[in-house]
Amino acid sequence: MALASFTRRTLAACGLSVTLSALAFAPLASAQQTQLNGSGASFPFPLYAKWAKDFSKQNKGIQVQYQAVGSGAGIRAFIAETVDFAASDAAMNDEEIAKVPTEKGVVLLPMTAGEVVLSYNLPGNPELKLPRDVLIDIFSGKLTTWQDERIQQANPEVKFPDDDITVVRRSDSSGTTYVFTGHLAAVSDDFAKDVGHGKSVNWPKSFVGAPKNDGVAAMIKQTPGAIGYIEYGYAEATGQPMAILQNKAGKFVKPGEASGQAALASAEFPSGDLPGYAGTPDLRVWVSDPAGEEAYPIATFTWMLMYQQQDEEKAKVLRDFIEYGLNEGQKDAPKLGYIPLPENVKAKVEDALKLVGGSK
Amino acid sequence: MASNPFAHVVSKFSGPPSASDYAVDKALRIIVQGAAAVILLLVAYIVFELGRQAFPAMLSFGPGFLVGTEWNVQQGVFGILPEIWGTLYSSLLALFIGGIFGVAIAIFLTQDFLDHRLSNVFRTIVEMLAAIPSVVYGLWGIYVLIPLIRPGAEWLHDTFGWFPLFGTDLSGPGMAPAALVLAVMILPTVAAISVDAFRRVPYKVKEAAYGMGTTRWEAILKVMLPTASSGILAALVLGFGRALGETMALAMLIGNSNQISLSLFAPANTLASLLASSFPEAGPVEVQALMFAALALLAITLIVNVLGLWVMKAATRKFEGKA
């Protein structure tokens, strides 16, 4: 009975392997572990991932996991209560806030900030200044050649190629697009009407879409005459050229830590409470067109989403994690291309953090 | 094991099946049938789930969804005609290129052009193409293929710009690079199954053809190819299905622009790429529309497979004389 004995052997082997694997995983199951799971925006992912790693290393028995699934998916997971915290570049709108189960409640905390930069591919990598009207016209599809006289006037020393402008945009819906179109829509009513402001918008059909920041960056690198928008940290890390933009005051400003902080300093937080939550500060603020002389025009906060009512033990760990991010964690920001939170914003977050776990 | 009184005379390899053999047999049959049932149920459940989530979108957009050309989240206007067009156009182009090369490779590997051992090595190499992740194909397309075809594309557009296929300039990503990469991606599927189809043809058939006085190429093209045609068609149908569903590489190479253009150098979009690009950040209404689009993709794949089976049957009847 070759078959029978073979089967018996196989079954015995299976049994053995099951026992072995049970033994192997036993220590994992028995150790006291607090797991914090978060998911959401991809824009702050490198920074949050670093916080999670360092914080878990410092505190034995605590494991923080953050997955970059996109702001929209993060908000969905938060409403469905499948995560301990979530993150979103577009915060949450009133509609989404209303969907959070009231017995849990929500508080939104700005945790870091970043800039969106314009990267381009021109022969010799010259410095490129983009006046406000030129930027709008390029991204509305009205201005299509590099040898346009307005571009030439702003950059008299640059010799532009006889190329058409290939505009590269994000093909996936993203917080980066939300922030970028927010600025353009604030500057131009026509842009707001034709293209719109959102995580994915109605771009002109001639534009080329590429997925994620790295997709757009690669596409710009590979396409002569291309221009597109990516996150500052990304451009910094890959050494791509970044355009110098004209701000509301009419000054041309380079992206960077100082100009980003100048932009965020002008942020005026709403005075009211979060809709539906009396006593919870509303920390949703956008600087779509900052007024300062030194301010880089396209900068934004990005938020973490927390439940107010939850198990005290877990809430304490969450609060510790946020505290870590607000203090130690802010030092990691500039290295990775993010803007540290201004002091006044940090204080607001510290205050709102007391609501997590409902112990205010 | 029941004790067998004749154990000393019964050889180890014969004798009546024992009770445990029966039990094993029965268990195996249950497992296999169960596995088959689970697959069918799973497909049914996926269709049901897609349908359930797409239902509100179906009610609100109706058949206009399939012929609309806008995908505008702000205004809640959704249509997938450009994506349907791009999906079919890119897959057909890829099938055309990949099909010709795949069948050619199969002929080269099976019709005594190569030493047998060498042909096995080659076959393994071709099949290894299937193991490359699609992200790598996408990057290869961006960094190697696009710069490679750009000069040729520009020349074609400048010289034959009046011809619809070359009607636009290649800025970077677009139909041509996407279809070429797709062709490389379906090549292993098409080649491997065509090789098997050729190997299934009895050697006597070729000997008979030679006996009738055919040349080598006549034997290959007029005898072997028709005889293996059903297998080759199966390979093409599988390859086509593979091309329809490819997501990542296309999301990186096709340009994701919602337009319908005959030009090989214009950016376009496909259903799979639309789903991959929009899903992570989609709001509730867009999710319903995306589910509707997913259902459309499923329907297209199903129609293609049914058509493929039907063509295969017809070909088998015509060329192989089997009903």
Side-chain angles (χ1 to χ4, degrees):
Chain A
M1 303 332 93
L3 181 59
S5 59
F6 165 77
T7 320
R8 256 204 320 279
R9 266 204 314 267
T10 320
L11 285 175
C14 283
L16 186 67
S17 63
V18 168
T19 328
L20 277 178
S21 54
L23 283 174
F25 288 115
L28 275 181
S30 63
Q32 273 303 309
Q33 274 273 355
T34 311
Q35 271 264 357
L36 291 183
N37 287 314
S39 70
S42 55
F43 158 54
F45 171 76
L47 186 62
Y48 291 177
K50 186 163 173 27
W51 291 356
K53 200 177 83 204
D54 295 351
F55 182 74
S56 306
K57 213 183 288 173
Q58 282 179 17
N59 299 279
K60 283 281 167 283
I62 294 176
Q63 227 14 64
V64 184
Q65 305 268 3
Y66 180 72
Q67 291 185 310
V69 291
S71 301
I75 292 171
R76 277 209 298 274
F78 187 79
I79 290 170
E81 299 181 59
T82 56
V83 286
D84 299 314
F85 66 96
S88 161
D89 301 336
M92 281 173 104
N93 60 27
D94 296 358
E95 229 172 86
E96 288 159 344
I97 289 173
K99 280 197 194 138
V100 178
T102 39
E103 68 274 10
K104 287 282 231 176
V106 56
V107 59
L108 297 161
L109 311 170
M111 289 305 298
T112 184
E115 291 156 297
V116 179
V117 302
L118 276 295
S119 186
Y120 49 89
N121 179 337
L122 288 169
N125 270 350
E127 268 201 348
L128 177 69
K129 290 197 175 88
L130 290 176
R132 282 157 84 87
D133 57 325
V134 169
L135 182 65
I136 294 285
D137 283 356
I138 289 177
F139 281 87
S140 325
K142 289 176 190 148
L143 200 164
T144 55
T145 69
W146 282 111
Q147 295 192 333
D148 181 272
E149 58 188 48
R150 278 182 298 163
I151 302 183
Q152 196 64 71
Q153 261 169 15
N155 305 276
E157 68 291 338
V158 181
K159 189 176 178 321
F160 286 100
D162 182 20
D163 270 332
D164 281 352
I165 298 179
T166 301
V167 182
V168 186
R169 60 168 179 90
R170 283 283 286 270
S171 62
D172 49 332
S173 47
S174 82
T176 314
T177 305
Y178 186 90
V179 173
F180 182 62
T181 53
H183 169 68
L184 298 184
V187 174
S188 153
D189 290 346
D190 282 352
F191 185 91
K193 203 166 70 243
D194 300 339
V195 182
H197 168 210
K199 284 183 275 201
S200 71
V201 293
N202 192 23
W203 291 116
K205 295 207 188 307
S206 58
F207 290 10
V208 167
K212 304 271 178 223
N213 270 295
D214 39 1
V216 173
M219 204 59 87
I220 295 168
K221 255 197 177 120
Q222 285 301 304
T223 310
I227 186 165
Y229 58 95
I230 48 180
E231 282 144 12
Y232 170 71
Y234 215 91
E236 186 75 353
T238 52
Q240 306 228 38
M242 304 177 225
I244 302 166
L245 300 185
Q246 189 181 25
N247 63 18
K248 198 169 188 169
K251 293 271 185 302
F252 282 95
V253 184
K254 270 192 179 140
E257 195 184 333
S259 57
Q261 277 193 304
L264 295 175
S266 68
E268 300 219 357
F269 282 88
S271 52
D273 292 344
L274 215 53
Y277 296 96
T280 302
D282 187 349
L283 300 180
R284 296 175 297 168
V285 63
W286 276 273
V287 277
S288 19
D289 197 12
E293 293 256 326
E294 305 298 315
Y296 181 78
I298 319 175
T300 182
F301 290 109
T302 179
W303 289 261
M304 274 196 192
L305 289 42
M306 303 273 166
Y307 296 115
Q308 293 201 17
Q309 310 299 335
Q310 52 180 306
D311 162 53
E312 181 46 42
E313 213 174 310
K314 204 163 224 183
K316 183 172 180 329
V317 179
L318 260 174
R319 287 198 301 267
D320 289 347
F321 175 57
I322 300 298
E323 282 288 351
Y324 174 86
L326 282 177
N327 298 299
E328 285 297 300
Q330 293 299 314
K331 294 174 194 151
D332 298 326
K335 281 200 296 286
L336 293 168
Y338 299 91
I339 308 164
L341 290 178
E343 281 304 317
N344 63 334
V345 178
K346 198 178 122 180
K348 279 184 200 292
V349 177
E350 293 269 12
D351 198 40
L353 182 59
K354 297 188 184 119
L355 293 164
V356 176
S359 59
K360 193 164 183 174
Chain B
M1 294 278 286
S3 73
N4 184 349
F6 301 104
H8 59 287
V9 288
V10 176
S11 90
K12 231 170 96 178
F13 300 108
S14 70
S18 64
S20 71
D21 281 352
Y22 276 122
V24 167
D25 233 19
K26 202 164 188 164
L28 195 67
R29 186 177 312 150
I30 289 170
I31 289 170
V32 174
Q33 282 173 342
V38 163
I39 289 183
L40 285 176
L41 282 173
L42 203 61
V43 172
Y45 175 71
I46 289 171
V47 173
F48 164 76
E49 190 60 27
L50 275 179
R52 196 177 61 86
Q53 298 205 31
F55 193 67
M58 287 171 161
L59 282 184
S60 53
F61 304 127
F65 184 72
L66 302 175
V67 292
T69 55
E70 285 278 309
W71 186 275
N72 188 333
V73 183
Q74 272 86 28
Q75 292 168 11
V77 182
F78 299 106
I80 54 169
L81 192 62
E83 284 81 9
I84 293 176
W85 162 258
T87 304
L88 291 172
Y89 194 31
S90 63
S91 298
L92 281 170
L93 281 172
L95 187 68
F96 180 68
I97 305 165
I100 289 176
F101 275 91
V103 175
I105 287 172
I107 290 174
F108 178 65
L109 292 184
T110 55
Q111 302 304 313
D112 309 324
F113 287 88
L114 275 181
D115 180 76
H116 193 70
R117 272 164 308 183
L118 208 56
S119 90
N120 275 338
V121 173
F122 267 97
R123 183 188 165 153
T124 314
I125 291 172
V126 171
E127 282 181 6
M128 268 169 64
L129 285 175
I132 298 173
S134 46
V135 172
V136 175
Y137 274 115
L139 289 172
W140 177 76
I142 292 175
Y143 287 108
V144 180
L145 192 72
I146 291 177
L148 201 70
I149 62 175
R150 185 176 281 127
E154 274 171 12
W155 180 83
L156 279 172
H157 171 62
D158 291 344
T159 325
F160 302 106
W162 47 267
F163 190 56
L165 287 186
F166 312 131
T168 60
D169 205 8
L170 179 77
S171 56
M175 188 54 83
L180 282 171
V181 167
L182 213 45
V184 178
M185 291 179 84
I186 67 170
L187 196 63
T189 311
V190 175
I193 296 173
S194 302
V195 164
D196 290 341
F198 277 118
R199 291 212 170 138
R200 240 188 38 212
V201 178
Y203 204 71
K204 284 197 184 99
V205 174
K206 207 194 307 190
E207 283 176 347
Y210 285 149
M212 301 286 287
T214 58
T215 63
R216 182 186 202 181
W217 279 106
E218 278 175 331
I220 290 172
L221 295 177
K222 291 187 176 160
V223 178
M224 297 301 283
L225 206 56
T227 315
S229 64
S230 72
I232 291 171
L233 281 166
L236 293 177
V237 170
L238 265 176
F240 194 60
R242 171 94 186 67
L244 287 175
E246 175 49 43
T247 307
M248 196 62 216
L250 278 204
M252 293 163 87
L253 290 169
I254 192 117
N256 299 293
S257 148
N258 290 357
Q259 55 179 0
I260 299 176
S261 164
L262 266 175
S263 170
L264 296 176
F265 307 140
N269 205 353
T270 73
L271 284 165
S273 168
L274 172 81
L275 290 168
S277 306
S278 311
F279 202 81
E281 301 268 348
V285 177
E286 199 186 356
V287 167
Q288 291 162 8
L290 286 169
M291 288 292 176
F292 197 173
L295 216 51
L297 180 58
L298 202 65
I300 290 174
T301 315
L302 188 72
I303 291 167
V304 164
N305 276 320
V306 169
L307 274 179
L309 278 176
W310 184 73
V311 170
M312 233 152 57
K313 266 213 175 82
T316 318
R317 264 204 300 276
K318 187 168 175 334
F319 293 124
E320 300 185 17
K322 296 174 201 154

